[in-house]
């Protein structure tokens, strides 16, 4: 039965998540894709391994189930007889059904579709598809947009050699006609200890033929979904458990960005756009649809393919001239976290330059080394076999509460691994900057994250400097992070803080995700809060210095948030727009992301900043160090799971009962921070206190110097006899944070505007002083300043 939600006409600003995940869940994807730069498409097939969802019973009556079983029992037992054939007999049988065999990726031809029965394969017109609704066949709904679907077919898993080993410990033999169903159930149920065997079976199944005599499935696409049916099947329990979808992306698909690198070479990468990956492959987008995947990508051999996968893949050269890259993941993740980037990237290498630390076999006995700017960083090994770091205080022992998968939290080596293996890629023209600014910082940032949050959830990290058209400063995915080239400009504070932000997402946003995408603060607010903590540890600041920096950053973010809330719709200022309905989905599992398609939303920072201030507010009740210890406990408890705001807040209140005695409650936090627009009262009061910090006072002293200088050079002003020249004013060199605040204080607040307009154009002394003063400040362009302000 097709759910009503499949025909939703969503509000223009809401992103529809159409997949009926309550009826059927995709547990594993196998992608086999080829990148075509000449026509800006990606073609191939995706194989889905399915399992009936928790709401599948509501989709079918007992009578439907009995009818389905009776019909199956009347069908010749194709699956068992097929697997009982010898290898040569199977080969002969497969040759007779060549139209069902999997072609190599990208070889699907138009003739295959044109020669098929339009009633069975192809995109039906809306009227004929709706007429089929009267038959009450079960419809599998996938999220899909801007894809050309060519064919959908079921896969005969029973034909895979060796699959019958999965039946060895079955208490009862499979029911007649249900062998393939049982095999898939057994395959999906394999324990995490057998994940390699499981993935090998997934791979073999992905290239298996169709069942004997099986016709392709009917399918229909609309603006937001791909809908699949097999005629005569009324129940999810009788629906094929393994499907292969042949498709091709479209050049203008919103999930994929075709562009050129900074070197002018063609490249493609996933956008992380509001519609996620549905224009890259048909999938289930709701975050509850947690799945694993493995992917093979073919591309011209001069390219490097980077994916969000656990395998640091080495390409295989094919006779066609293409290179084949293979990646996989074993931690179940939402499909939106799949990431792809293919281009002529170059890998950066640490070079033993003067003043730049690099750990080698010869010098690994020391504990610290100096960087080019004189600061001290932990000496850490970024090699693939690094495992010498001590276990974090308190350990990460305890039972995992997530679904079964090979979890790093259970491994002693992972607990000791402060710095996971990592690589950095960029276009060749940026390689020197990357090697100087990004790569040397990465080990220290990883070590800082480990010291605060514990076990790295992922086994390695690739970092890619993406093309200039990238719409944000960074994006984190499992095992890979994208960084904007903007982080290469200015001092290392910018690149270091952004690295810490994206690294923090491995814990908050990936290992722990939001069950409702409207609660973005669970990811972005936490990463913003933690980037300050991690970067302070990298810089080895004292407690007092760290506190001063945190206050100054808070003041800058407060200014940004205040301005944003003054110039945005109130509906977009709410962190929990679904309020009490947060996490609620329809009977089928379909839902919408509130304001998910609003064009203004991607440019807003409210989830970052208001979420950050909420965490800062809560930390004020517990104490900074105690709050960080709680975050580590929260990670150990909830890693591998999806959460809602109340999961975090309730655990916090339970862990610190004194917070309740001081009047803090879930209802109060919702009312003040999550369910209402505007600025909470606490933030108004606290921001006034931040203005009294020593660093702010330092900026104000510099402002006084500037104002005095401008007044003395105002048009018509005369210097008194004996008064020293303003050229001798000692403008202090300040850090990048102070400079940003100075810039905001002086120019955005128009503090100097009135004075600047009185400076005569012929006043070379003033111009000279401005030049000298600017050289004492960090050399940031106007564009860099704009990026700095938007970042903080």
């Amino acid at each position: 039965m097709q759910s009503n939600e499949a025909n939703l006409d969503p509000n223009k600003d809401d992103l529809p998540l159409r997949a009926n995940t309550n009826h059927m869940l995709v547990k594993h994807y196998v992608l086999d894709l080829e990148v075509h730069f000449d026509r800006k498409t990606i073609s191939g097939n995706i194989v889905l391994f399915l399992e009936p969802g928790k709401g599948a019973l509501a989709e079918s009556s007992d009578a439907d189930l009995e009818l389905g079983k009776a019909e199956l029992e009347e069908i010749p037992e194709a699956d068992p007889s097929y697997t009982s054939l010898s290898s040569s007999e199977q080969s002969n049988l497969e040759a007779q059904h060549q139209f069902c065999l999997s072609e190599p990726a990208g070889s699907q031809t138009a003739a295959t579709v044109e020669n098929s029965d339009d009633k069975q394969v192809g995109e039906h017109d809306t009227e004929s598809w709706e007429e089929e609704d009267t038959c009450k066949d079960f419809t599998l709904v996938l999220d899909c947009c801007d894809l050309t679907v060519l064919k959908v077919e079921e896969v005969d898993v029973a034909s895979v050699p060796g699959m019958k080993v999965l039946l060895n410990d079955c208490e009862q033999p499979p029911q007649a006609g249900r062998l393939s169903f049982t095999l898939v159930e057994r395959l999906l149920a394999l324990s995490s200890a057998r994940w390699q065997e499981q993935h090998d079976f997934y791979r073999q199944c992905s290239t298996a033929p169709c069942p004997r005599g099986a016709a392709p499935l009917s399918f229909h696409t609309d603006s937001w979904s791909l809908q699949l049916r097999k005629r005569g099947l009324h129940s999810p329990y009788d629906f094929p458990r393994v499907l292969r979808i042949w498709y091709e992306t479209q050049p203008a698909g919103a999930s994929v960005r075709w562009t050129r690198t900074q070197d002018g070479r063609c490249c493609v990468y996933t956008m992380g756009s509001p519609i996620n990956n549905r224009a890259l492959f048909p999938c289930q987008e709701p975050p509850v649809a947690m799945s694993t995947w493995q992917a093979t990508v073919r591309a011209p051999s001069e390219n490097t393919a980077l994916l969000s996968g656990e395998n640091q893949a080495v390409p295989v050269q094919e006779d066609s001239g293409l290179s084949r890259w293979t990646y996989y993941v074993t931690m179940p993740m939402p499909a939106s976290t799949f990431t792809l980037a293919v281009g002529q990237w170059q890998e950066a290498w640490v070079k033993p330059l003067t003043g730049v630390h690099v750990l080698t076999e010869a010098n690994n006995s020391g504990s610290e080394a100096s960087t080019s700017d004189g600061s001290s960083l932990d000496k850490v090994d970024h090699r693939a076999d690094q495992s010498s770091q001590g276990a974090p205080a308190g350990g990460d022992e305890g039972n995992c509460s997530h679904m079964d998968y090979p979890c790093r939290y259970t491994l002693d080596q992972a607990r000791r691994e402060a710095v996971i293996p990592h690589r950095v890629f960029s276009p060749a023209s940026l390689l020197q900057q990357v090697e100087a600014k990004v790569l040397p910082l990465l080990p220290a940032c990883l070590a800082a994250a480990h010291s605060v949050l514990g076990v790295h959830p992922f086994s390695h990290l690739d970092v890619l400097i993406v093309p200039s058209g990238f719409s944000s400063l960074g994006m984190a995915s499992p095992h890979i992070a994208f960084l904007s080239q903007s982080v290469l400009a200015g001092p290392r504070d910018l690149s270091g803080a952004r690295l810490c932000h994206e690294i923090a997402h491995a814990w908050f946003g990936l290992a722990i995700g939001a069950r409702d995408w409207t609660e973005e603060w669970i990811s972005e607010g936490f990463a913003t809060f933690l980037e300050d903590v991690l970067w302070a540890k990298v810089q080895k600041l004292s407690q007092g210095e760290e506190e001063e920096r945190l206050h100054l950053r808070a003041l800058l973010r407060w200014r940004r948030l205040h301005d944003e809330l003054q110039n945005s719709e109130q509906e977009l200022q709410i962190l929990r727009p679904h309020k009490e309905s947060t996490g609620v989905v329809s009977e089928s599992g379909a839902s919408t992301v509130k304001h998910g398609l609003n064009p203004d939303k991607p440019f807003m920072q409210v989830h970052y900043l208001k979420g950050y201030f909420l965490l800062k507010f809560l930390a004020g009740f517990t104490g900074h160090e105690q709050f960080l210890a709680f975050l580590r406990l929260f990670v150990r408890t909830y890693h591998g799971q999806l959460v809602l705001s109340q999961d975090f807040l309730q655990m916090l209140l339970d862990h610190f009962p004194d917070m309740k005695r001081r009047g803090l409650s879930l209802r109060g936090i919702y009312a003040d921070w999550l369910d209402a627009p505007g600025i909470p009262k606490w933030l108004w009061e606290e921001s006034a206190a931040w203005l009294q910090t020593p660093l702010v006072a330092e900026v104000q002293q510099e402002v006084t110097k500037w104002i005095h200088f401008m007044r003395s050079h105002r048009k018509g002003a005369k210097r008194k006899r004996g008064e020293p020249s303003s050229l001798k004013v000692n403008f202090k060199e300040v850090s990048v944070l102070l400079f940003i605040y100075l810039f905001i204080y002086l120019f955005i607040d128009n503090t100097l505007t009135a004075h600047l307009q009185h400076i005569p154009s012929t006043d070379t002394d003033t111009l000279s002083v401005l030049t000298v003063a600017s050289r004492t400040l960090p050399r940031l362009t106007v564009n860099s300043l704009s990026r700095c302000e938007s970042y903080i």
Side-chain angles (χ1 to χ4, degrees):
M1 181 184 299
Q2 184 176 355
S3 71
N4 293 331
E5 290 77 11
N7 293 319
L8 283 174
D9 181 17
N11 296 328
K12 64 178 181 178
D13 292 340
D14 294 341
L15 172 67
L17 305 178
R18 292 284 187 82
N20 51 345
T21 55
N22 276 351
H23 299 154
M24 190 73 81
L25 277 171
V26 180
K27 303 299 290 184
H28 188 80
Y29 298 92
V30 180
L31 297 97
D32 191 351
L33 304 175
E34 182 176 334
V35 178
H36 307 279
F37 285 111
D38 54 344
R39 61 177 191 263
K40 295 182 179 180
T41 63
I42 299 174
S43 67
N45 69 76
I46 182 170
V47 178
L48 285 60
F49 292 80
L50 305 168
E51 178 180 80
K54 61 183 180 181
L57 282 175
E59 188 68 10
S60 56
S61 64
D62 292 339
D64 289 333
L65 289 174
E66 292 302 320
L67 176 61
K69 291 178 181 178
E71 290 174 342
L72 283 169
E73 288 173 356
E74 294 175 1
I75 299 175
E77 299 179 16
D79 290 347
S81 63
Y82 187 70
T83 54
S84 66
L85 297 177
S86 67
S87 298
S88 60
E89 290 172 325
Q90 288 184 22
S91 299
N92 291 334
L93 186 57
E94 289 171 8
Q96 297 173 21
H97 299 278
Q98 199 60 237
F99 69 96
C100 283
L101 291 175
S102 301
E103 297 90 339
S107 67
Q108 179 72 20
T109 62
T112 306
V113 177
E114 293 172 357
N115 294 336
S116 301
D117 185 349
D118 287 341
K119 294 182 180 180
Q120 297 172 332
V121 63
E123 184 175 353
H124 298 318
D125 60 78
T126 302
E127 183 177 352
S128 63
W129 180 262
E130 291 178 349
E131 287 176 357
E132 289 189 8
D133 284 346
T134 59
C135 68
K136 306 301 182 183
D137 288 343
F138 169 72
T139 301
L140 174 64
V141 183
L142 301 174
D143 294 299
C144 175
C145 180
D146 300 331
L147 291 179
T148 301
V149 178
L150 304 175
K151 183 171 67 172
V152 181
E153 57 192 7
E154 58 183 301
V155 175
D156 183 13
V157 298
S159 68
V160 175
M163 282 284 283
K164 292 177 68 173
V165 72
L166 298 176
L167 304 177
N168 287 345
D169 56 350
C170 274
E171 296 181 359
Q172 297 180 348
Q175 296 178 0
R178 304 285 294 185
L179 175 60
S180 60
F181 291 85
T182 302
L183 288 173
V184 175
E185 290 170 0
R186 303 287 294 178
L187 175 59
L188 296 176
L190 285 178
S191 71
S192 60
R194 300 173 65 183
W195 72 266
Q196 291 172 306
E197 179 185 6
Q198 184 183 49
H199 274 223
D200 186 54
F201 278 130
Y202 283 145
R203 180 188 56 78
Q204 293 184 60
C205 289
S206 70
T207 59
C210 305
R212 294 174 55 191
L217 275 67
S218 300
F219 68 87
H220 171 72
T221 58
D222 58 26
S223 298
W224 294 109
S225 69
L226 168 63
Q227 301 163 38
L228 310 173
R229 293 183 187 143
K230 184 174 181 180
R231 184 164 299 177
L233 299 183
H234 308 314
S235 164
Y237 291 101
D238 295 327
F239 197 76
R241 299 298 172 85
V242 183
L243 299 178
R244 181 164 44 236
I245 303 172
W246 295 90
Y247 73 97
E248 186 170 74
T249 65
Q250 297 179 12
S255 298
V256 184
R257 170 75 170 171
W258 296 90
T259 184
R260 291 185 178 274
T261 67
Q262 291 85 345
D263 299 334
R265 302 181 185 278
C266 294
C267 67
V268 60
Y269 63 91
T270 51
M271 289 287 289
S273 65
I275 70 165
N276 300 306
N277 277 322
R278 63 180 67 186
L280 178 62
F281 58 89
C283 56
Q284 292 182 329
E285 286 284 18
V288 295
M290 306 269 276
S291 61
T292 51
W293 63 76
Q294 55 201 105
T296 297
V297 176
R298 294 172 177 84
S301 57
E302 63 270 17
N303 292 273
T304 297
L306 300 174
L307 275 76
S308 50
E310 296 178 26
N311 185 27
Q312 296 190 36
V314 176
V316 175
Q317 301 300 319
E318 298 189 333
D319 294 339
S320 62
L322 301 177
S323 292
R324 183 176 76 248
W325 305 77
T326 303
Y327 289 80
Y328 62 88
V329 297
T330 57
M331 177 191 294
M333 301 286 292
S336 60
T337 62
F338 182 93
T339 304
L340 169 71
V342 182
Q344 296 186 40
W345 325 119
Q346 301 293 317
E347 183 175 356
W349 297 94
V350 173
K351 296 181 175 64
L353 301 176
T354 304
V356 179
H357 165 65
V358 56
L359 186 64
T360 65
E361 291 285 356
N363 66 7
N364 66 358
S365 59
S367 59
E368 293 183 354
S370 295
T371 57
S372 56
D373 61 2
S375 64
S376 177
L377 299 178
D378 285 333
K379 177 174 281 190
V380 288
D381 192 345
H382 65 278
R383 294 168 297 164
D385 61 350
Q386 192 278 339
S387 61
S388 60
Q389 298 295 321
D396 287 287
E397 294 79 6
N399 295 324
C400 297
S401 302
H402 52 69
M403 67 183 75
D404 184 37
Y405 68 82
C407 180
R408 285 175 52 80
Y409 280 77
T410 64
L411 304 177
D412 289 337
Q413 180 179 350
R415 285 196 285 268
R416 296 192 301 267
E417 193 174 34
V419 181
I420 55 176
H422 54 275
R423 304 179 296 179
V424 182
F425 294 85
S426 78
S429 60
L430 299 178
L431 207 56
Q432 186 174 359
Q433 296 179 64
V434 168
E435 290 173 344
K437 291 192 173 182
V438 177
L439 189 54
L441 288 174
L442 189 49
C445 294
L446 290 168
H450 180 268
S451 70
V452 174
L453 298 170
V455 175
H456 288 278
F458 304 101
S459 59
H460 79 274
L461 176 65
D462 287 339
V463 176
L464 173 66
I465 305 297
V466 288
S468 56
F470 190 59
S471 59
S472 66
L473 284 174
M475 185 183 79
S477 299
H479 305 278
I480 187 171
F482 290 170
L483 288 183
S484 166
Q485 66 178 27
S486 300
V487 302
L488 302 177
R492 74 188 190 110
D493 288 59
L494 297 180
S495 53
R498 175 48 55 171
L499 272 174
C500 289
H501 183 102
E502 302 307 332
I503 288 171
H505 273 311
W507 287 266
F508 290 95
L510 296 175
I512 298 176
R515 187 148 58 91
D516 188 322
W517 275 340
T518 60
E519 296 191 301
E520 295 172 56
W521 81 274
I522 293 176
S523 173
E524 299 299 349
F526 278 81
T528 304
F529 178 85
L530 285 165
E531 75 177 61
D532 293 352
V533 175
L534 304 186
W535 184 233
K537 286 191 174 296
V538 172
Q539 295 175 294
K540 292 189 175 296
L541 300 179
S542 67
Q543 184 175 352
E545 290 174 326
E546 179 181 0
E547 187 174 344
E548 287 186 349
R549 293 293 183 95
L550 292 179
H551 285 328
L552 184 57
R553 279 192 176 273
L555 192 59
L556 292 168
R557 289 180 175 131
W558 150 249
R559 173 57 189 258
R560 175 72 176 175
L561 178 63
H562 177 271
D563 290 348
E564 182 168 289
L565 297 185
Q566 293 293 316
N567 298 280
S568 61
E569 301 176 26
Q570 286 198 344
E571 285 190 356
L572 297 179
Q573 301 175 14
I574 300 174
L575 301 190
R576 205 174 69 130
H578 285 159
K579 298 183 179 178
E580 296 307 318
S581 296
T582 295
V584 176
V585 298
S586 67
E587 177 272 333
S588 73
S591 62
T592 60
V593 179
K594 195 70 174 174
H595 310 302
L597 295 175
N598 190 315
D600 294 333
K601 195 168 182 295
F603 299 99
M604 294 189 64
Q605 298 282 305
V606 64
H607 289 273
Y608 295 73
L609 301 178
K610 204 170 177 181
Y612 156 81
F613 282 119
L614 170 55
L615 296 176
K616 197 170 181 63
F617 164 75
L618 296 172
F621 282 84
T622 67
H624 183 67
E625 293 302 322
Q626 292 83 350
F627 190 72
L628 294 182
F630 172 77
L631 291 184
R632 186 164 174 145
L633 175 62
F634 182 76
V635 166
R636 290 205 302 270
T637 304
Y638 280 100
H639 69 273
Q641 301 177 68
L642 301 172
V643 300
L644 298 173
S645 296
Q646 54 262 41
D647 296 318
F648 172 76
L649 295 172
Q650 188 62 63
M651 182 175 172
L652 180 71
L653 293 175
D654 292 342
H655 191 74
F656 296 101
D658 188 59
M659 299 176 74
K660 296 179 182 178
R661 290 192 288 269
R662 295 169 63 182
L664 205 61
S665 66
L666 278 178
R667 180 175 297 181
I669 296 173
Y670 291 158
D672 294 342
W673 290 92
L674 300 181
D675 294 350
I679 298 174
K681 180 181 178 181
W682 173 88
L683 190 47
W684 285 108
E685 297 171 347
E686 199 70 13
S687 61
W690 295 331
L691 287 170
Q692 309 305 316
T693 61
L695 286 180
V696 174
E698 185 178 334
V699 171
Q700 290 172 335
Q701 291 174 5
E702 294 303 304
V703 171
T704 300
K705 294 179 185 178
W706 278 87
I707 292 176
H708 175 75
F709 169 78
M710 292 302 178
R711 285 176 177 171
S712 67
H713 284 74
R714 185 178 300 170
K715 187 176 182 180
K718 295 182 179 180
R719 186 181 306 152
K720 296 179 181 180
R721 180 176 296 179
E723 183 178 1
S725 170
S726 296
L727 283 172
K728 296 181 180 179
V729 174
N730 180 26
F731 290 100
K732 184 177 180 180
E733 182 172 356
V734 297
S735 69
V736 63
L737 282 178
L738 288 177
F739 176 63
I740 295 169
Y741 185 67
L742 178 63
F743 176 82
I744 294 172
Y745 198 115
L746 295 179
F747 295 96
I748 297 181
D749 282 344
N750 297 319
T751 303
L752 291 185
T753 301
H755 303 290
L756 289 171
Q757 64 185 356
H758 294 295
I759 299 177
S761 59
T762 57
D763 191 341
T764 56
D765 283 354
T766 299
L767 297 176
S768 177
V769 169
L770 289 173
T771 301
V772 171
S774 66
R775 288 175 180 171
T776 68
L777 300 173
R779 296 181 179 179
L780 297 179
T781 64
V782 174
N783 288 337
S784 297
L785 289 168
S786 176
R787 287 193 294 268
C788 290
E789 191 202 0
S790 66
Y791 163 61
I792 57 176

